[in-house]
Amino acid sequence: MINKRSWPDYGALLIVCLILALIPLATGGSPYYLRLATLMLVYMTYAVAFNIIFGHTKQLFLCMGALAGCSGYLSVVLIRELGLPPGVTMPLGVLFASSLGAVFSYASVRRGLGVIFVGVITIAFTLVFHNLILGLRVLTSGEDGIVTRGLGFGVLEHRLASYYILLAILLLSLLLYHFLISSRIGLAFRALNDNELTAELAGIDVTRYKVLAAFIGSALFGIAGAFYAQYNGFISPDIFSFVSVDTPVFIMVLLGGMGTLLGPIIGAGVFTIVNELVRPLGYLNLLVYGVFLIVLFLLFREGLVVTLRKMVKLHIP
Amino acid sequence: MISLFIDGIICGLQLSLLAVGLTLIFGLGGVLNLAHGQLAVIAGISAAGLIGAGVNVPLAALLGVLIAGASGLVLDRSLMLMAYRYKGEARLLLGLVLTLGVSLAIEGYLNYSFPLVALTISLPILNVTLFGVVVRTTAIVAALIAILTLLSLFLFLKVTSLGKAVRSIVQNELGAELCGIDQASVRTFIFILGSLMAGLAGIAQGLTASLDVRMGMEFTIFALIVATVGGVRSINGTLAAGILLGVVNVFASFYVGTYLTFIILLTTAGLTILLRPRGLLGDWT
């Protein structure tokens, strides 16, 4: 499994791990900045997931918030309604999100939908999810949201500990990404990303690999969503909405560079800082998102990592 | 019952008016304009601002629609120009992302600068009786605007040579080019036309209910639902789907509530894409 070509990846992961592990020290004990850093980890995990789905198999999933939200809400509501332990409900939530993602992917590959119609269908699902949460008041308390209580035993309640738990999840998803991409599956992804028809002719089961990518990516959304729901202490439709998840994550992945190991993380880091700078502007943050999206897609499609690679002539994973 | 039905038809006409522009631009330019609803909001908010400044209502409405058309022109000549350089899937994706960006930017700006502006147009005569049912005059005017616009669009596409050029590009880009049709200018023309129609839909919304700065995304989504159910390249289909969904919308809102109605509409659109990609009514339009 471990070969020479993987060393740069491991080195990069180690550096990322060290930097992220030291961030809580840099916040100087301020709860606000620690919370911001923790949210950044959640968004980094989202970005890694989107990178697998969109960056490697070109499936435009615009239902990231809804997938994370399905898992988050399911795990919280089942605890409250049926009294099940989080250890049972969270895997159920994740399973539900990943199956949904796989179903979307299977249906759209089977029907031969272009990238744009996958986008339309998944946007429709985002809105269905939003309206379901608002409509099922009895279960979800609608817009008011639900207070969540962590995992018991104080896990995900203590702020610093939660940071490291979410960091561990991020690192595990990065490792998963690395193994996925450096295996035969990654090879298949690369082939079908270049040209689906030729990949199919070369004997690659395009349907299977696209559904696999959607399944794994959606599972990561589900995991991040479920942990976020417990960590946050409160869930509402707003924290899983299109504007608060899908748009930022799309920008993060574009900014960092699609199809790279570090791109989504770097993109998420830079975006978090920019977002924090424009927070005082209120609604104008939408304007900033919009301009970011346009400029990035027009002028900077390769993203930071690839640009850096060209500048320093070094292989950055 | 009859009054619900009439409400449904009126709502449907407005939906068609909104969606036909989206269909035209998609059919012709190959760009799914996610900023479509924001153009309706631009028209409505400009009109509301002008009315507030003392301009009389019809003139303000007209200017609002023209401002939407001008915004369409700017959008087409600047960002969409970059999208048109590509073909097929690449153009679709680029167009989708660019218009999503524009939509967010417009929404952010309007919400920041005019958070409290809303357009509500009222007329001197409140109600008229139609088929023994009392209907609001404003709703009738909105329906008339929609009917007249859609009729003139049909005539334009059927009779004039520019209209025929438009249909020929929808059918076959290369063939149209070979016949000497200048695609770029026809495309710009249609983008403006679609924007004007979105603007009219915004004004109509101000007549039947009220329009505020937060409604852009909702308009886009409704237009998208209607356009997909009607088959994104078929104008007749969009019209039929608009009226059908308008009636469904009004009846369902009355009997099962708004949330469930929206879910029904969205699921219809999703299933249409999956099961009948050429539109729910694709075979006989």
Side-chain angles (χ1 to χ4, degrees):
Chain A
M1 205 72 169
I2 296 173
N3 56 25
K4 257 192 178 161
R5 280 166 55 197
S6 293
W7 286 120
D9 279 23
Y10 293 132
L13 280 181
L14 199 63
I15 296 170
V16 166
C17 176
L18 279 175
I19 295 175
L20 289 175
L22 290 175
I23 281 185
L25 292 180
T27 61
S30 144
Y32 177 78
Y33 284 109
L34 185 60
R35 188 184 147 69
L36 196 67
T38 317
L39 285 188
M40 183 178 76
L41 293 179
V42 174
Y43 276 84
M44 283 174 171
T45 316
Y46 287 160
V48 173
F50 188 58
N51 190 25
I52 297 176
I53 302 179
F54 184 64
H56 284 280
T57 59
K58 284 284 174 320
Q59 305 183 78
L60 184 56
F61 267 39
L62 295 177
C63 57
M64 311 172 216
L67 288 174
C70 278
S71 160
Y73 262 98
L74 201 63
S75 58
V76 170
V77 170
L78 283 180
I79 294 174
R80 201 172 66 158
E81 296 295 320
L82 302 179
L84 295 171
V88 176
T89 65
M90 285 168 78
L92 277 177
V94 174
L95 191 67
F96 183 67
S98 47
S99 325
L100 258 182
V103 167
F104 285 138
S105 171
Y106 182 76
S108 37
V109 178
R110 272 287 121 135
R111 298 299 307 184
L113 296 184
V115 66
I116 198 161
F117 287 105
V118 179
V120 173
I121 283 204
T122 47
I123 282 194
F125 173 66
T126 299
L127 295 162
V128 167
F129 167 76
H130 199 75
N131 280 283
L132 266 180
I133 297 296
L134 290 180
L136 293 171
R137 281 205 91 79
V138 192
L139 291 176
T140 62
S141 316
E143 263 166 350
D144 304 333
I146 309 175
V147 174
T148 57
R149 271 173 313 181
L151 298 180
F153 312 111
V155 180
L156 280 184
E157 281 166 24
H158 187 267
R159 290 203 179 88
L160 201 59
S162 319
Y163 180 87
Y164 287 105
I165 290 173
L166 285 163
L167 178 59
I169 291 171
L170 172 65
L171 288 173
L172 285 177
S173 53
L174 281 170
L175 274 177
L176 175 71
Y177 175 86
H178 164 77
F179 285 124
L180 203 61
I181 298 308
S182 52
S183 68
R184 288 177 67 84
I185 300 173
L187 213 58
F189 283 170
R190 218 177 311 156
L192 72 89
N193 206 7
D194 285 344
N195 189 327
E196 279 187 25
L197 187 63
T198 44
E200 190 88 65
L201 288 174
I204 293 167
D205 187 346
V206 171
T207 313
R208 201 174 106 200
Y209 284 107
K210 281 189 132 177
V211 173
L212 183 69
F215 182 84
I216 295 173
S218 307
L220 288 181
F221 276 119
I223 293 171
F227 273 91
Y228 179 31
Q230 300 296 341
Y231 159 76
N232 200 35
F234 174 75
I235 52 171
S236 69
D238 262 355
I239 63 173
F240 296 119
S241 72
F242 186 77
V243 173
S244 51
V245 178
D246 294 70
T247 328
V249 172
F250 199 2
I251 297 175
M252 286 165 187
V253 174
L254 285 177
L255 178 65
M258 284 196 293
T260 58
L261 177 73
L262 293 183
I265 310 180
I266 296 176
V270 173
F271 184 84
T272 305
I273 296 168
V274 173
N275 196 35
E276 196 50 29
L277 293 177
V278 300
R279 188 177 298 278
L281 300 176
Y283 256 115
L284 273 191
N285 69 349
L286 279 185
L287 181 75
V288 176
Y289 288 178
V291 173
F292 243 94
L293 209 52
I294 294 169
V295 173
L296 285 176
F297 219 74
L298 279 182
L299 308 173
F300 203 60
R301 252 175 134 168
E302 296 178 315
L304 279 170
V305 166
V306 177
T307 314
L308 272 177
R309 263 184 212 164
K310 281 178 187 160
M311 271 166 62
V312 298
K313 297 208 167 48
L314 237 176
H315 180 75
I316 301 169
Chain B
M1 206 52 184
I2 297 176
S3 77
L4 269 186
F5 194 67
I6 293 179
D7 273 353
I9 301 277
I10 294 172
C11 169
L13 282 166
Q14 280 178 263
L15 286 178
S16 303
L17 187 60
L18 193 63
V20 161
L22 194 77
T23 309
L24 272 175
I25 296 171
F26 182 75
L28 207 77
V31 167
L32 197 56
N33 180 14
L34 290 185
H36 199 67
Q38 304 294 352
L39 293 169
V41 174
I42 288 182
I45 296 303
S46 319
L50 288 166
I51 292 170
V55 180
N56 74 354
V57 176
L59 183 63
L62 183 67
L63 286 174
V65 173
L66 290 179
I67 291 173
S71 318
L73 172 65
V74 172
L75 187 59
D76 181 75
R77 287 288 85 191
S78 54
L79 288 175
M80 290 304 107
L81 216 53
M82 320 246 193
Y84 296 146
R85 283 194 205 135
Y86 299 86
K87 278 236 169 337
E89 195 97 296
R91 186 199 284 177
L92 277 170
L93 184 60
L94 189 58
L96 188 83
V97 174
L98 291 183
T99 52
L100 179 63
V102 171
S103 173
L104 289 170
I106 294 177
E107 184 163 349
Y109 173 71
L110 288 179
N111 272 298
Y112 181 75
S113 305
F114 314 101
L116 299 174
V117 179
L119 176 73
T120 317
I121 301 174
S122 44
L123 293 172
I125 308 162
L126 271 182
N127 296 309
V128 289
T129 314
L130 198 73
F131 306 120
V133 183
V134 179
V135 187
R136 282 179 305 136
T137 328
T138 46
I140 300 283
V141 175
L144 282 178
I145 291 178
I147 292 173
L148 286 178
T149 317
L150 293 169
L151 266 182
S152 20
L153 178 75
F154 268 100
L155 282 179
F156 162 74
L157 289 176
K158 280 272 179 251
V159 178
T160 62
S161 62
L162 184 57
K164 284 175 186 159
V166 170
R167 285 191 292 149
S168 72
I169 297 183
V170 175
Q171 280 164 12
N172 189 330
E173 278 199 15
L174 185 64
E177 190 89 60
L178 288 173
C179 295
I181 292 167
D182 179 12
Q183 277 194 45
S185 46
V186 175
R187 222 181 264 147
T188 308
F189 171 75
I190 284 301
F191 211 100
I192 299 171
L193 197 67
S195 311
L196 288 172
M197 291 172 77
L200 278 171
I203 301 293
Q205 172 70 24
L207 276 163
T208 50
S210 157
L211 173 142
D212 65 55
V213 281
R214 276 170 291 280
M215 293 171 78
M217 216 43 170
E218 196 185 317
F219 282 157
T220 308
I221 298 296
F222 267 112
L224 211 53
I225 294 174
V226 173
T228 42
V229 172
V232 267
R233 276 173 182 272
S234 147
I235 293 161
N236 306 1
T238 305
L239 186 63
I243 292 178
L244 179 72
L245 291 181
V247 174
V248 171
N249 184 19
V250 169
F251 271 88
S253 306
F254 187 74
Y255 288 109
V256 297
T258 353
Y259 297 127
L260 205 53
T261 306
F262 208 41
I263 293 173
I264 292 173
L265 294 180
L266 288 163
T267 319
T268 316
L271 289 179
T272 311
I273 291 183
L274 288 176
L275 303 177
R276 299 180 69 97
R278 295 184 44 199
L280 197 59
L281 315 158
D283 294 336
W284 53 271
T285 47

